[in-house]
Amino acid sequence: MIVYFPVIYPDELVYSWFCRYYVHSGCFSHKMALQYLYCKRSDNPNKEFIGNLNHEAREQIDKIYSLDKLILNHSMYPQYARFVPLEQKKKALYRLGHDSCDIHQLFPVLSRGEGERYLRFCPLCVREDREIYGETYWHRSHQIRNMRICTKHKCMLMESSVPAKSEQSFTFCPAENYVCYSEAVFENDSLMIRFAEYLDSIFSAPMDFDNDISISSILYDGMSRTKYLKPSGRSRYTKMLADDMNEFYRGMGICNIASMYQIQRALLEGGVDFSVVCQIAFFLGMKPEELTAPSLTIEQIKQERNSHYMKDAVPVDWELLDAETAPVLEKLAEDVYAGTANENGRPERVSERLVYRELGLSGHQLDNMPRCRAIFERYTESYSESWARKIIWAYKKLKKNGEAFCWTDIRKISGVKKKNIQLTIPYLMKHTDAEMADQIMKLINDY
Ligand SMILES: [Zn+2]
């Protein structure tokens, strides 16, 4: 039972709150605190959200703060869900509070680039927190993608040693123990400050749960006031826009600049990534309210819809798209294959369907992209082989836990069906040493 919960601080991440709960509750171990809060150890709670709480924890927490409020005001939900379609936005809010779910199924989550891999903090906020609360905590607004400065103090954010993504073995890392002493470095570039304030105001605006206006319509409206849309409204100059944006943000020293491909998706197919959309809108000079509380007429929305079917659309530059997509695909394939793309860490088969879905490709487009095709083929494997890798992964995971286990446990966490087990045998040796293959075979035969 959870005896005591500290008060949650303004803009504090739920993860941070749980870290402080761990410190203050007198739990002896992470394991114990995790058991109080979560359903099972393999849940791998997410640092940006709440995680799969067990029934008692959910009930008790809901009495102190409603789960919806926690998600809206203390998780990164306003970032990831900001531009997704209305139904998806509502569904995600519900599922984050009530279901065990994989966040990658709720909304797109870009892989992390330079400067986004660790939880960040502001040295002056740390000092202030300590004065006011006696301890510091992880602030939500410091973790926004591409956020470089603390908008309150106009100084550079510092990286801690705590990874921002969820890890295989989850630990509570309270900010108080993980921020190092650092001198504040002030940002003088007024453009950079404006950009940070822009991200901040879009992130912290109330979520719109009434209107369902697609982000591509909103951006189309923004473009209509610029040279990037033909006066007729029938041609977008996407390549020019992407080139100009690239130069602009490179000049500012932004790390994760939206690629031509990402920009194209946001404009045409409703790519909804927060960082990409904000970069486009800021560059186009759109006001934050245009994004967070859009007021487009039906006529304006229709105009954008129609523009998708224009005949004079820019032909796709396959060579460029191939070159731009290759590193993205490499990372994606690597993560999926090794399991790091997965909340639970399970390796998966890199299927053609997954590649098409994740990269937003259609038809046989991969055939026009030789570099990407080569990467995909390098990761291609049969189902049987991927099952073998999953079994090995499950075996290692269970072994690491140190408790006795049987074949059923392996089957459960590997997700490999009973009827397919025999098919995996030829591949066990390929992916592990003789000893481990023997031990796994023994378990199969005992079963
Ligand atoms: Zn600050």
Side-chain angles (χ1 to χ4, degrees), residues 121-132 136-137 139 141-142 148-157 184-188 193 196-197 200:
F121 64 93
C122 155
L124 295 181
C125 284
V126 168
R127 202 186 296 169
E128 241 174 60
D129 293 343
R130 283 177 178 157
E131 274 165 25
I132 303 172
T136 188
Y137 57 96
H139 291 240
S141 57
H142 297 161
R148 294 275 302 277
I149 61 174
C150 166
T151 49
K152 186 174 179 191
H153 296 107
K154 315 276 183 283
C155 65
M156 305 288 284
L157 293 173
V185 181
F186 290 95
E187 175 65 68
N188 298 316
I193 294 175
E197 284 171 343
D200 204 30

Side-chain angles (χ1 to χ4, degrees), residues 408-419:
T408 326
D409 299 312
I410 296 190
R411 220 187 58 205
K412 231 182 256 166
I413 64 169
S414 69
V416 178
K417 293 205 177 84
K418 194 172 161 183
K419 60 171 187 192

